[in-house]
Amino acid sequence: MEATPDTTIRPLPAKKIAASRLSRWRWFKDAGARTMLGATAVIICLLIVVITAALTARSWPILSAYPLAELLTGQVWQPMRGLFGFAPFIAGSVAVTLVAMAFAVVPAVFSGMYLAEYTSSRTRSALKPLIDLLVGIPSVVYGLWGVLFIVPLVRDHIGPLSDRTLGQFFPFFARTNPSGYGLLAAGFVLAVMVFPLIVAVTEEVLRSIPREMRETLLALGATRWETTRCIMRRAALSGTLAAIVLGFSRAFGETLAVMMLIGNTPRIPSSLFDAAYSLPALIANNYGEIMSVPLYESALMGAALLLLIVVLGFNVMARLVIMRLTKRS
Amino acid sequence: MKRKKLRRAEDLFFTWVMRACLMTAAVVLGLILFVIFWRGIGALSWEMVSQPPSGGFYLSQGGGGVFHAIVGSLYLAAGATLLASLIAVPVVLYIHVYSPNGRLANNLRLALDIMWGIPSIVYGAFGFALMIYLGMRASLLAGIITLALVVLPILARTFDEVVSMAPRHLHETTFSLGSTRLEFLGVLLRQTVPGLLTAVLLAFGRGIGDAASVLFTAGFTNNMPEGLLRPVASLPLAVFFQLGTPFPEVQARAYASALILTVIILTISILAQLSISRLGRHVIR
């Protein structure tokens, strides 16, 4: 195969620029900037490693004091008595995230498909502020909205209704907690919070699919929906899954809104209406008292480390998939 | 014939399903804004906006407002955005000028995307660990540094998108005039200033709204911000703490504070939108 000629545009070679004294100074500045900025870029790349290392170092006392399995599966959280069981918090986080995903995934993927495949650029720029505003609203405002609107709704209407109907047959829908604070309220608000992220990533992935594919399908007589469906199945499936994974990890780490709505009761939830406790809420709620109890700070740092590892794992997978997809175009 | 009708019906059905999904999102957004405005406007007063809390603010009999938290939040977000842009802007320009599509550029983008996904509570915990290591107390400075980590990826990636839309001939023209890469970096910066403003506004808005990262690092206080090394109040945390009290009067203040926060965020979003449409007029395309 013939090597493609190098068409990259470059400035003059340094030697030529460095002919005069003034030019030497220019060359020197250029080289200096290159080194310094390159170093900064590398440092930013290493920041994730630094954060992981710092959290590991801070949580080392508890990791070395208890076996990992005991920490992860322990059911009792009583730092005063030296009991650090993370299981209720992990279960709470996973449960509330799953509830959120159950609400968010289908509408978000459909919306992303609509934005990418069905809109003209004008309609799209009219719809864009909707997504931008949903992203921009602070977590605490979402939480307050949940407290003022969703919690009363769950308490007075959805809870009793579900208990009368589905709750009779499935304990999962039984109204175990009359306050309204719990998985359902927190999960719904969380769903609204991750919705714009999934929409944006799905749209980005679909937009990176080559135009010819659509043209081919439409030319073969497929309807618009058939075209979209085929593109989803054949080309964008992995990217959409990555979008969902990103949404999952965003929901998993969300702190304030969940903390305001989930009820903060450390036990493994068994019903949609149960109060639970999430990992980020555990860290945020207890930071004030960590100095008084041995190993408490270390345990909370361990919770942060656990959170980071889960989120990093999901993010790295999803981002690599998206990067491969979008680079191809 | 029948089959064709069926296919058309299916097409129509799914188009409307998608529209319904977006409409639901719009309705939910409307509901959020409506509830926040409706509940907040009742408790909002000039006193809330213009005064720091007086004694007994959290016990329902005290007066005052959340001016300290508004100022604190603005300081935190402004400091963090400034710090983040001082790091992000040169580095983003660097990867475009010195290594377009190089390995370092790809790695940096991947790292920033992953950093974007890290929850702010983890940054908060990291900031706290850093503070213990350095022997610092909760302060404005610690809050700014932690918040800068939160907004850095947002700012950098948004700015990165803007810079990659700069026209290619700019590149060619500048080098053909015999400039070095560093000089081209300056040209590229001037070309992308409007986009940079959008990225900065976006990061600023996110910085104001973020609470989990400043919870440990900036602390909370009832006084006006006093200096870089003193704790500082922030608006999201003011909402949170006021809501946590058992007194309805104080909770009403939380609604008003949330309204103030929402108005600030909305203003910033609108400014960001305007900066895209208005300032872009003078850019070479």
Side-chain angles (χ1 to χ4, degrees), chain A residues 37-281:
Chain A
L37 293 176
T40 320
V42 173
I43 289 173
I44 292 178
C45 290
L46 290 178
L47 218 48
I48 297 167
V49 181
V50 173
I51 293 173
T52 317
L55 290 182
T56 314
R58 296 299 316 179
S59 54
W60 192 250
I62 194 148
L63 291 177
S64 52
Y66 298 90
L68 192 60
E70 198 184 309
L71 287 175
L72 291 181
T73 58
Q75 307 252 356
V76 188
W77 178 266
Q78 279 173 350
M80 299 294 181
R81 289 169 51 205
L83 292 170
F84 297 97
F86 282 115
F89 305 100
I90 299 172
S93 269
V94 171
V96 76
T97 307
L98 287 178
V99 173
M101 298 316 278
F103 281 119
V105 164
V106 175
V109 170
F110 271 127
S111 300
M113 275 155 58
Y114 189 77
L115 284 179
E117 304 285 332
Y118 284 73
T119 49
S120 61
S121 69
R122 181 183 278 183
T123 329
R124 192 172 162 272
S125 58
L127 286 169
K128 203 76 188 143
L130 166 68
I131 308 294
D132 289 345
L133 277 179
L134 280 174
V135 176
I137 293 178
S139 174
V140 73
V141 174
Y142 275 112
L144 183 62
W145 177 65
V147 170
L148 291 177
F149 186 75
I150 299 295
V151 166
L153 194 69
V154 170
R155 185 183 57 211
D156 301 334
H157 301 286
I158 300 173
L161 180 75
S162 162
D163 202 41
R164 266 196 316 259
T165 50
L166 285 165
Q168 303 294 324
F169 310 104
F170 307 101
F172 181 68
F173 290 101
R175 187 178 177 226
T176 46
N177 166 18
S179 76
Y181 290 88
L183 286 184
L184 183 65
F188 183 77
V189 173
L190 203 51
V192 181
M193 296 179 74
V194 297
F195 173 83
L197 177 76
I198 305 179
V199 172
V201 179
T202 310
E203 191 199 342
E204 187 196 330
V205 165
L206 280 173
R207 277 187 188 278
S208 71
I209 308 277
R211 219 189 142 70
E212 291 79 27
M213 195 159 167
R214 283 177 200 109
E215 283 164 2
T216 313
L217 282 161
L218 288 171
L220 285 171
T223 62
R224 216 163 187 188
W225 165 250
E226 283 161 352
T227 310
T228 310
R229 195 180 54 190
C230 184
I231 286 174
M232 274 311 264
R233 262 196 212 152
R234 303 282 163 183
L237 193 62
S238 57
T240 310
L241 285 178
I244 295 169
V245 167
L246 282 182
F248 187 96
S249 82
R250 171 68 53 89
F252 199 75
E254 179 47 50
T255 311
L256 223 63
V258 175
M259 188 165 133
M260 291 163 81
L261 296 169
I262 200 169
N264 296 339
T265 312
R267 59 157 190 215
I268 295 176
S270 60
S271 150
L272 198 55
F273 295 91
D274 265 349
Y277 212 142
S278 73
L279 268 177

Side-chain angles (χ1 to χ4, degrees), chain B residues 113-259:
Chain B
D113 280 342
I114 291 167
M115 278 177 74
W116 198 332
I118 295 178
S120 66
I121 187 90
V122 172
Y123 287 115
F126 172 67
F128 190 72
L130 214 61
M131 272 162 50
I132 295 175
Y133 183 70
L134 296 172
M136 272 169 77
R137 303 257 305 276
S139 62
L140 177 57
L141 183 66
I144 286 177
I145 293 174
T146 314
L147 206 51
L149 286 176
V150 177
V151 298
L152 175 75
I154 300 169
L155 211 163
R157 282 301 272 142
T158 316
F159 186 48
D160 184 35
E161 295 292 325
V162 175
V163 179
S164 26
M165 284 196 281
R168 180 139 185 88
H169 64 79
L170 194 69
H171 200 169
E172 294 157 9
T173 317
T174 321
F175 282 150
S176 70
L177 290 171
S179 78
T180 62
R181 293 185 196 212
L182 183 62
E183 286 152 358
F184 172 55
L185 196 147
V187 174
L188 199 56
L189 178 62
R190 248 165 274 178
Q191 167 77 14
T192 50
V193 159
L196 174 61
L197 188 68
T198 313
V200 163
L201 283 173
L202 209 69
F204 187 73
R206 201 62 58 82
I208 281 194
D210 199 81
S213 61
V214 293
L215 187 61
F216 316 111
T217 49
F220 197 78
T221 167
N222 279 336
N223 304 321
M224 295 293 288
E226 287 159 332
L228 266 184
L229 295 175
R230 306 276 301 156
V232 65
S234 53
L235 210 40
L237 288 182
V239 177
F240 182 67
F241 289 137
Q242 285 165 5
L243 198 67
T245 61
F247 308 104
E249 295 92 336
V250 186
Q251 288 180 352
R253 285 189 195 138
Y255 309 156
S257 313
L259 176 58

Side-chain angles (χ1 to χ4, degrees), chain A residues 9 26 30 114 221 225, chain B residues 7 11 19 98 172 182-183:
Chain A
I9 296 175
R26 286 172 64 205
D30 185 57
Y114 189 77
W225 165 250
Chain B
R7 285 173 63 206
D11 190 37
R19 285 193 186 143
Y98 287 87
E172 294 157 9
L182 183 62
E183 286 152 358

